């Protein structure tokens, strides 16, 4: 049966759209035949052109003048969502930026499907915001309002780890108790659920869900900690002013985080940098920082950091290239040093998963499978820490960037037909 609805996974780093059809892959091609669309927009300064996804990142890295926005999902649930940013010389609300991206996501999905979609199940993290139910509900409401404004008239929401569980369920032939570990770009989400062919057709799966939880930690947080520990010290973080005080860290924090990089290019930030340069004890490093800002190379550096994080999933060491700031500049990073700088984040994930298992009231030996999805679930130390909580369970890696979208498509067929 061809579903009348789609599943939309608007992700911090990548987005997908799934559509359930017999004997075909659920995920729709969104860019150059690929099923993922990086959650990025680039506004060109010289004309009114706007590019999305890989094209947006490519245009930025090619050196075109303009404004890159990425990790926009992180704005949901934050105070920034009601703010605005300067694009092409004018102020544009962040809500408008999210609306433009989701409208483009819908348009591309409809082009690939050869039909329109007005019904959708939208994925959402277990918690947009930790320990703040009101802010969490506001974040979901905001996403729903944006989706309706671009033409989705009938909307349901589904927790992202449950969607990933539904995708895994479609691939098994026996009943299993599965711990789903979804480490996305902005959040880490978990569910413990009974899955199996005999349960898949049920419209109401509440009794199958033993526990779920999440924490606002994801790939962008790993990137940020790697940048703060290894890149930003090359640019003066941790050095001192002539007064003996530490160089202020605010703008380093902005440059280390995808959705705040552009704040380092503001007039207020320029005044801040001028003060640091005048008072710095080590001006060589501050001059490197100012060169980065002058070139607006913050996103380029973030790409290098992200690539290093990915490389360390397979290699014991790598080098972060910083040659755009200064010739031959770079920094070597080992997996051990990366583990050290993200250790506290992984401990929070481990603590949250441990609490989930205790709340479920099951023995760890009862868990049959740990299903990993989300790009940052490949971080070796994280995977080892989670697997150690259920040592008798087998580990299965899903489609790291597609399991949620495919599962949302299955859920959309159940909910809307």
């Amino acid at each position: 049966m061809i579903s009348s609805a789609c599943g939309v996974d608007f992700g911090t780093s990548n987005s997908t759209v799934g559509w359930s059809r017999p004997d075909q892959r659920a995920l729709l091609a969104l860019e150059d035949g690929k099923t993922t669309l990086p959650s990025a927009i680039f506004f060109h300064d010289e004309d009114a052109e706007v590019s999305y996804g890989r094209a947006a990142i490519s245009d930025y890295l090619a050196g075109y003048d303009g404004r890159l926005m990425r990790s926009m999902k992180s704005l949901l649930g934050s105070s920034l969502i009601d703010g605005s940013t300067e694009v092409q010389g004018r102020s544009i609300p962040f809500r408008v930026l999210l609306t433009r991206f989701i409208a483009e996501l819908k348009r591309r999905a409809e082009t690939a499907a050869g039909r329109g979609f007005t019904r959708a199940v939208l994925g959402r993290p277990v918690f947009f915001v930790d320990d703040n139910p009101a802010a969490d509900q506001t974040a979901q409401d905001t996403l729903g309002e944006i989706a309706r404004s671009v033409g989705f008239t009938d909307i349901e929401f589904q927790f992202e780890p449950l969607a990933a569980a539904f995708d895994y369920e479609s691939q098994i032939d026996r009943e299993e108790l599965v711990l789903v570990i979804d480490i996305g770009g902005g959040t880490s989400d978990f569910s413990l659920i009974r899955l199996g062919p005999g349960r898949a057709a049920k419209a109401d799966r509440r009794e199958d869900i033993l526990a779920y939880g999440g924490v606002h930690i994801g790939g962008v947080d790993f990137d940020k900690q790697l940048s703060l520990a290894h890149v930003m010290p090359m640019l003066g973080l941790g050095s001192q002013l002539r007064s003996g005080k530490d160089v202020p860290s605010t703008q380093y924090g902005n440059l280390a985080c995808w959705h705040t990089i552009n704040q380092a290019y503001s007039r207020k930030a320029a005044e801040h940098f001028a003060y640091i340069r005048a008072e710095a004890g080590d001006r060589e490093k501050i001059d490197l920082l100012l060169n980065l800002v002058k070139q607006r190379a913050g996103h380029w550096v973030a790409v290098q950091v992200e690539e290093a994080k990915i490389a360390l999933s397979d290699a014991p060491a790598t080098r972060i290239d910083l040659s755009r700031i200064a010739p031959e500049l770079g920094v070597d990073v080992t997996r051990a040093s990366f583990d050290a700088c993200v250790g506290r984040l992984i401990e929070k994930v481990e603590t949250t998963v441990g609490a989930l298992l205790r709340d479920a009231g099951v023995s760890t030996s009862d868990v049959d499978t740990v299903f990993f999805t989300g790009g940052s679930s490949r971080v070796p130390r994280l995977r080892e820490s989670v697997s150690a909580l259920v040592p008798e369970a087998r580990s299965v890696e899903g489609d790291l960037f597609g399991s949620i979208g495919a599962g949302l498509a299955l859920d959309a067929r159940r909910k809307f037909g």
Side-chain angles (χ1 to χ4, degrees), residues 334-370:
T334 65
R335 183 183 293 175
S337 63
F338 173 64
D339 287 347
C341 68
V342 300
R344 289 186 179 180
L345 299 179
I346 292 175
E347 286 173 5
K348 289 183 180 179
V349 169
E350 184 179 350
T351 298
T352 304
V353 174
L356 178 146
L357 291 169
R358 289 192 297 274
D359 291 345
V362 300
S363 169
T364 57
S365 62
D366 293 333
V367 179
D368 298 299
T369 303
V370 183

Side-chain angles (χ1 to χ4, degrees), residues 183-346:
I183 313 295
T187 58
S188 295
D189 296 307
F190 323 106
S191 64
L192 185 65
I193 182 170
R194 297 192 187 281
L195 302 174
R199 299 174 182 269
K202 294 166 56 179
D204 188 345
R205 301 299 300 272
R206 282 177 290 185
E207 68 176 23
D208 295 335
I209 302 166
L210 278 65
Y212 58 84
V215 63
H216 204 265
I217 291 171
V220 294
D221 300 291
F222 296 148
D223 295 346
K224 180 178 181 177
Q225 294 307 314
L226 180 56
S227 182
L228 290 174
H230 293 281
V231 174
M232 296 303 154
M234 305 280 291
L235 311 180
L237 178 64
S239 63
Q240 293 184 320
L241 303 174
R242 288 181 296 177
S243 64
K245 294 182 179 179
D246 289 342
V247 168
S249 63
T250 300
Q251 297 305 329
Y252 292 102
N254 286 337
L255 287 166
C257 190
W258 277 103
H259 69 282
T260 57
I261 288 171
N262 287 311
Q263 293 184 28
Y265 307 146
S266 67
R267 182 176 300 139
K268 182 178 180 180
E271 296 172 354
H272 188 74
F273 288 131
Y275 164 76
I276 292 175
R277 174 65 172 75
E279 299 297 324
D282 186 347
R283 288 188 174 177
E284 287 187 11
K285 289 184 175 181
I286 302 304
D287 285 341
L288 291 174
L289 171 66
L290 296 181
N291 194 30
L292 180 157
V293 173
K294 180 181 179 181
Q295 294 188 54
R296 297 202 167 196
H299 288 94
W300 180 85
V301 170
V303 169
Q304 310 313 307
V305 171
E306 182 181 35
E307 290 181 351
K309 175 193 70 179
I310 294 169
L312 289 169
S313 293
D314 297 312
T318 191
R319 183 171 177 81
I320 301 177
D321 176 22
L322 301 174
S323 59
R324 187 165 168 179
I325 301 172
E328 300 184 9
L329 185 67
V331 57
D332 294 322
V333 184
T334 65
R335 183 183 293 175
S337 63
F338 173 64
D339 287 347
C341 68
V342 300
R344 289 186 179 180
L345 299 179
I346 292 175

Side-chain angles (χ1 to χ4, degrees), residues 124-131 136 159 187 189 212-216:
R124 58 148 294 167
V126 173
F127 299 113
F128 280 106
V129 184
D130 293 341
D131 303 320
D136 185 80
F159 290 137
T187 58
D189 296 307
Y212 58 84
V215 63
H216 204 265

